[in-house]
Amino acid sequence: MTGEGATAMTGGRTVSAAVDAAVAGDGAGWDALFDRFYPVVLRFAMARLGDRSAAEEVTQEVFVAAVASIRSLRERREPAVEAWFLRIARFKIVDRFRRGRRPDLEVPGDLVAADDPAEAATLRMEAAEVRRAMERLTDEQREILVRRFVLDQSLEQVAEATGRPVGAVKSMQHRALAALSRRLGRREAA
Amino acid sequence: MTGDERHSLPSGVAAWAAESRLTPREQPVADARAAMHAAAAAPPAAIPGRSSRILPALRAAGRRHPLRLGTATLVAAASLLVALGWDAPAGSPLHEVRIGREQVGLILAAGDARTALRLSYAESRLRDAKAGIDPQGSLGEAAGLLDQARAALPAGHDGELWQRWTGDEATLRALRAGSSDDGGRSRSGDGLPAPGGAPGGDDRGGTAGGGESSGATASPGGGGDGGHSGGDGVSSSTSSAASSGDGGGSGDDGGGRSGSTSSSSSTSSTDGGGHDSSSGSSGGSSSSSSTTTTTGGGSSDH
């Protein structure tokens, strides 16, 4: 739902029509859903895992799992379908953490290719710190931060996707950032 | 997200957000799309998640609480075993479960209740035999149970338990008579009382007719009647019942002592009909030998 509204078209279809087609076994329906939600799921996974390869693996698992459970999807408007994909992603990420598969320690190619590798490395470390601190937040707080800052969703979009009033989302975001600051401050002090 | 908001973000959040905004790479996208289409085209059972969710859930539970899951599995297996073997007939692999269950019942019961329980177990064996489920084994077990019940019956020879026992004995005898291969082991030829008659002794036919009767060779007809069928037994025991004081010519030791009706029945009346030698299986045909067997009968009193 990054930017588009509930009636957004994916490959000439609405999300709802794409879901209908996918449920009916139409490959084009799956393609439309894939094109629409692959980038969203990939970013969501990256925000939690911090490792590109792991995020890509998880994203692939999400779409395979979606095939198995799409019949259980009742609400077929775009925000609901996106929330459904992200819910599957959350399960897959938790499963990955549970299995103890941590991000690879290889030096990413984009870091090596950066104009200023030292600065890129610093940014990466800061990002890793934030990810670690975020693991201490609640699921709801984490989701709101990812939607707002990674998926670039507006407060209204987050409110619609999560089924909360805009004011509640704003308040939760504020508390989440405050908690994050405290945790990051504690780390820096330590 | 406004510029002011971004400015007020905690240190590192912007870096984290920028790092997370990946642009999809061509190859992983192609791989993921192919995997998705393969899953969509696969038969339902081959797709993870479409298959049973119970097994993965059990596996997860097993990882979290291995001891509890192990205990639950054991209990479930034991319950299944008990359920399957609850009424397993003789000859079936789980028959031991039934015997165990009955033993527990017998241990818990006492007095007449225990006897009644034995009789009901015997009756269920008789039903099995009647239904053609391992007749040999079922009748053998029924005989054993009736023997045990007989030993615990009250001395009065009347009451509900006695009636049941008598009826069960008659059924047993009838079933054995109907059995094609009961041969010399038949209880029916051992002079047991007829249905409706008072119970006889507890020495069972098959063995009595063949084995113990060997000591009573004096009985001309008796030895030969060791394996007599129920027909003879019925008719003779009826007469024996009439002649015995307690209304029950008891019939142990079988054909070997058959024909000793009058002399032995008086003995049986004194000991409750338990171990007296008895009459009857060879019935009228042995009456001529009664004189000879009187001695034998007396000597065979227990």
Side-chain angles (χ1 to χ4, degrees), chain A residues 5-157:
Chain A
T7 56
M9 305 295 283
T10 57
R13 298 168 185 265
T14 62
V15 167
S16 175
V19 171
D20 289 342
V23 169
D26 181 359
W30 281 112
D31 277 332
L33 291 175
F34 187 88
D35 291 339
R36 171 69 190 84
F37 295 110
Y38 184 92
V40 176
V41 175
L42 179 66
R43 290 180 179 189
F44 183 86
M46 182 66 184
R48 293 290 306 279
L49 296 168
D51 176 74
R52 181 169 198 129
S53 298
E56 286 166 345
E57 274 179 32
V58 163
T59 305
Q60 177 173 323
E61 289 172 13
V62 168
F63 280 91
V64 171
V67 169
S69 58
I70 195 162
R71 285 175 194 280
S72 66
L73 185 58
R74 291 181 185 167
E75 175 62 72
R76 295 181 179 183
R77 289 181 313 116
E78 183 167 355
V81 176
E82 183 189 76
W84 175 67
F85 273 110
L86 294 185
R87 198 160 50 242
I88 298 174
R90 198 157 49 238
F91 288 136
K92 293 291 176 188
I93 290 164
V94 168
D95 192 39
R96 198 177 181 86
F97 279 134
R98 203 175 279 159
R99 281 181 283 153
R101 289 171 68 172
R102 297 294 172 190
D104 295 336
L105 295 175
E106 65 179 74
V107 179
D110 56 346
L111 188 63
V112 176
D115 291 339
D116 186 348
E119 189 187 344
T122 304
L123 289 174
R124 189 167 286 271
M125 286 170 62
E126 284 182 2
E129 283 290 309
V130 170
R131 253 192 311 277
R132 275 195 289 274
M134 282 184 70
E135 293 304 319
R136 299 284 191 162
L137 302 182
T138 66
D139 274 343
E140 292 80 10
Q141 287 175 331
R142 249 196 319 263
E143 182 177 356
I144 283 176
L145 292 185
V146 172
R147 283 182 180 275
R148 290 284 287 133
F149 302 118
V150 177
L151 303 183
D152 287 329
Q153 294 180 351
S154 67
L155 286 171
E156 289 75 18
Q157 286 173 324

Side-chain angles (χ1 to χ4, degrees), chain A residues 27 30-31 34-35 38 43 46-47 52 56 60 67-68 123-124 127 130-131 134 148-150 152 180-181 184, chain B residues 1 5 9-13 15-17 19-23 25 28-29 32-33 35-37 40 47-48 50:
Chain A
W30 281 112
D31 277 332
F34 187 88
D35 291 339
Y38 184 92
R43 290 180 179 189
M46 182 66 184
R52 181 169 198 129
E56 286 166 345
Q60 177 173 323
V67 169
L123 289 174
R124 189 167 286 271
V130 170
R131 253 192 311 277
M134 282 184 70
R148 290 284 287 133
F149 302 118
V150 177
D152 287 329
L180 199 58
S181 294
L184 289 171
Chain B
M1 174 124 292
E5 279 176 324
L9 289 179
S11 164
V13 172
W16 162 73
E19 184 191 75
S20 301
R21 285 193 210 102
L22 291 177
T23 304
R25 292 190 294 191
V29 168
R33 191 188 296 275
M36 179 188 71
H37 281 300
I47 302 172
R50 271 194 191 172

Side-chain angles (χ1 to χ4, degrees), chain B residues 67-80:
Chain B
L67 191 64
R68 281 189 207 170
L69 187 73
T71 308
T73 307
L74 275 178
V75 169
S79 305
L80 183 67

